[in-house]
Amino acid sequence: GAGVSQSPSNKVTEKGKDVELRCDPISGHTALYWYRQSLGQGLEFLIYFQGNSAPDKSGLPSDRFSAERTGGSVSTLTIQRTQQEDSAVYLCASSPEQGDQPQHFGDGTRLSIL
Amino acid sequence: QKEVEQNSGPLSVPEGAIASLNCTYSDRGSQSFFWYRQYSGKSPELIMFIYSNGDKEDGRFTAQLNKASQYVSLLIRDSQPSDSATYLCAVRTGGSYIPTFGRGTSLIVHP
């Protein structure tokens, strides 16, 4: 597609439920990133994919968070047993592997935990 | 620990003025520098990137990089109310694919 696509755009769920957030990167981009941004805060790095592998998952805040990427394209971020502090905007970005190219962000998923 | 520092602002400038946004970084190995604009409730949008010392111009925007002093600036000429947003600086070290983001500077351009 023309840009990074994320779905859903908004998600409201009850505490304790599991959620899945999806990211479809720009075609041909091998690098994919997940970030979290709480209201009025900066970007918090979660995980980085190069192809299907995740060389850096150091930002995942707990073992309730996991992510996978299949076929070197679409990625899914899963949050199990959601807590209220998980409420934030989850942003996905992608970039080409070659060279030192900038990231391009999707519109994000606004997650609200009741 | 890699650090990227930005003044949170808000920086308030009148319409038509030059807005100057600054960013300092701690890692001398940094090689790539990016500026993003983020409107309230929206995702970051790439404005410019710069790799070499000096100035890079794109329309009303100029990025300035000084590696010796470890700062990168973004100048916005003829500022417009539509430029009101938070501007994020991101810095990437050579060999790393993961940039470090500053917390952003809020810019307000008033008519």
Side-chain angles (χ1 to χ4, degrees):
Chain A
V4 178
S5 178
Q6 292 188 247
S7 62
S9 55
N10 285 282
K11 177 72 175 179
V12 180
T13 193
E14 294 179 347
K15 176 183 172 181
K17 302 287 189 182
D18 298 351
V19 295
E20 283 190 355
L21 312 179
R22 175 189 167 102
C23 173
D24 195 350
I26 293 172
S27 178
H29 282 194
T30 57
L32 185 148
Y33 309 77
W34 284 98
Y35 293 89
R36 179 169 71 174
Q37 189 172 36
S38 301
L39 188 64
Q41 301 300 308
L43 291 175
E44 177 186 4
F45 167 76
L46 298 178
I47 187 169
Y48 155 65
F49 285 94
Q50 184 59 257
N52 291 338
S53 64
D56 192 329
K57 53 180 74 172
S58 62
L60 294 178
S62 76
D63 59 8
R64 296 186 296 106
F65 289 72
S66 63
E68 65 175 13
R69 188 179 185 194
T70 56
S73 181
V74 172
S75 176
T76 302
L77 177 68
T78 301
I79 309 173
Q80 296 179 309
R81 305 181 302 282
T82 52
Q83 303 294 312
Q84 288 190 330
E85 60 264 29
D86 300 334
S87 297
V89 176
Y90 288 80
L91 291 162
C92 176
S94 70
S95 66
E97 175 184 9
Q98 63 273 22
D100 201 7
Q101 299 301 309
Q103 299 169 315
H104 297 268
F105 285 83
D107 289 337
T109 294
R110 184 174 299 276
L111 177 64
S112 300
I113 310 300
L114 302 179
Chain B
Q1 174 114 10
K2 303 171 187 175
E3 294 184 348
V4 176
E5 299 288 340
Q6 295 182 258
N7 189 321
S8 62
L11 173 65
S12 182
V13 301
E15 183 175 358
I18 296 175
S20 179
L21 304 161
N22 298 313
C23 172
T24 60
Y25 58 94
S26 63
D27 190 336
R28 287 197 170 272
S30 299
Q31 294 187 353
S32 310
F33 306 86
F34 309 91
W35 283 101
Y36 290 85
R37 177 176 62 198
Q38 187 173 26
Y39 292 115
S40 180
K42 302 295 185 181
S43 64
E45 172 192 11
L46 179 70
I47 299 176
M48 292 191 70
F49 53 93
I50 186 168
Y51 304 140
S52 304
N53 270 333
D55 295 0
K56 179 181 179 182
E57 186 174 319
D58 184 1
R60 295 187 297 112
F61 299 95
T62 299
Q64 299 178 318
L65 175 61
N66 185 322
K67 289 189 176 181
S69 300
Q70 296 178 236
Y71 78 80
V72 56
S73 300
L74 179 69
L75 302 180
I76 307 175
R77 289 182 300 282
D78 188 23
S79 296
Q80 301 297 309
S82 59
D83 294 327
S84 299
T86 295
Y87 289 79
L88 303 174
C89 170
V91 175
R92 188 154 61 195
T93 304
S96 171
Y97 283 99
I98 304 170
T100 301
F101 280 83
R103 293 177 61 85
T105 297
S106 174
L107 173 66
I108 298 172
V109 182
H110 53 86

